[in-house]
Amino acid sequence: MRHLRFAVGVALATSTALAAQQADAKTHFIIRKGNDTLAIERFSRDAGTLTGDITQSNGLHWEYVANLRQDNTVEHVELSREPKGGPVGLLSVDFADTLVKATFTAGTQSQNLSLSTLAKPLPFLLLSFAFSEQIVRATNPVQGKPVKWMAVRLGAGDTATMTVTRVSADSVTISVPQGDLKLSVSSTGDVLGALFPPQQWVVERKSNGSKP
């Protein structure tokens, strides 16, 4: 595993462009462990953009905007991460066929990074099932033929091999170093629910207006 040397969570003003997108979210995922709600992700998607935010029970708040290609792969991501009562960090990442370029900004300083990859890169964030859904759409896996990508792990700040496997017509597994995400999917690639056994997470999809 090779590390991109960026860290999200340093002083930076929140992007108002990202914050303004929150009201447009139409769907949300709820992550629960037992009776506890750990996080809620609200997101919206159109032909060219995936926008969302994640609120965790520990006070951590994420916002993101991803620019999408016609083949459902991701071309660019802007991500902010704000701890409860702490400074905001911003990460900007470009994705090419075998190249990742990232910009990490802290206060008035910024650092540019570039990394070549052996497999085509896609963004991955364990808490974001909208990103997992985008991975399923980009892969469109055929049963019995696993597909490998290079996961750019936005939360961990590194890269790792990611394998996407269709288990059945309505089930897809995304395998990453943290473990296997087991996704229930529709015929159009929507993630309807999920399990993450290593952390005992149960994930539920709800439409706008539904109560968490």
Side-chain angles (χ1 to χ4, degrees), residues 73-97:
T73 58
V74 176
E75 183 175 20
H76 180 79
V77 169
E78 295 284 335
L79 176 75
S80 71
R81 179 183 184 271
E82 182 180 9
K84 184 178 182 180
V88 179
L90 184 65
L91 181 66
S92 177
V93 189
D94 289 308
F95 301 85
D97 283 346

Side-chain angles (χ1 to χ4, degrees), residues 22-104:
Q22 182 174 346
D24 294 332
K26 298 177 181 178
T27 307
H28 55 276
F29 289 110
I30 303 170
I31 303 175
R32 294 188 174 95
K33 182 176 182 178
N35 294 323
D36 297 326
T37 298
L38 302 181
I40 298 177
E41 177 181 21
R42 298 173 176 85
F43 71 98
S44 62
R45 181 190 285 105
D46 59 31
T49 309
L50 172 64
T51 304
D53 73 282
I54 304 169
T55 303
Q56 295 182 233
S57 59
N58 62 6
L60 190 61
H61 183 232
W62 307 74
E63 292 182 329
Y64 59 81
V65 177
N67 300 117
L68 311 176
R69 301 187 182 93
Q70 290 186 348
D71 63 359
N72 285 310
T73 58
V74 176
E75 183 175 20
H76 180 79
V77 169
E78 295 284 335
L79 176 75
S80 71
R81 179 183 184 271
E82 182 180 9
K84 184 178 182 180
V88 179
L90 184 65
L91 181 66
S92 177
V93 189
D94 289 308
F95 301 85
D97 283 346
T98 56
L99 183 67
V100 177
K101 292 183 177 181
T103 300
F104 159 62

Side-chain angles (χ1 to χ4, degrees), residues 30-39 126-127 129 178-182 194-204:
I30 303 170
I31 303 175
R32 294 188 174 95
K33 182 176 182 178
N35 294 323
D36 297 326
T37 298
L38 302 181
L126 185 60
L127 281 166
F129 287 85
Q178 300 100 314
D180 289 350
L181 287 172
K182 301 180 182 296
L195 297 174
F196 185 53
Q199 296 292 336
Q200 300 177 354
W201 290 357
V202 177
V203 182
E204 182 182 6

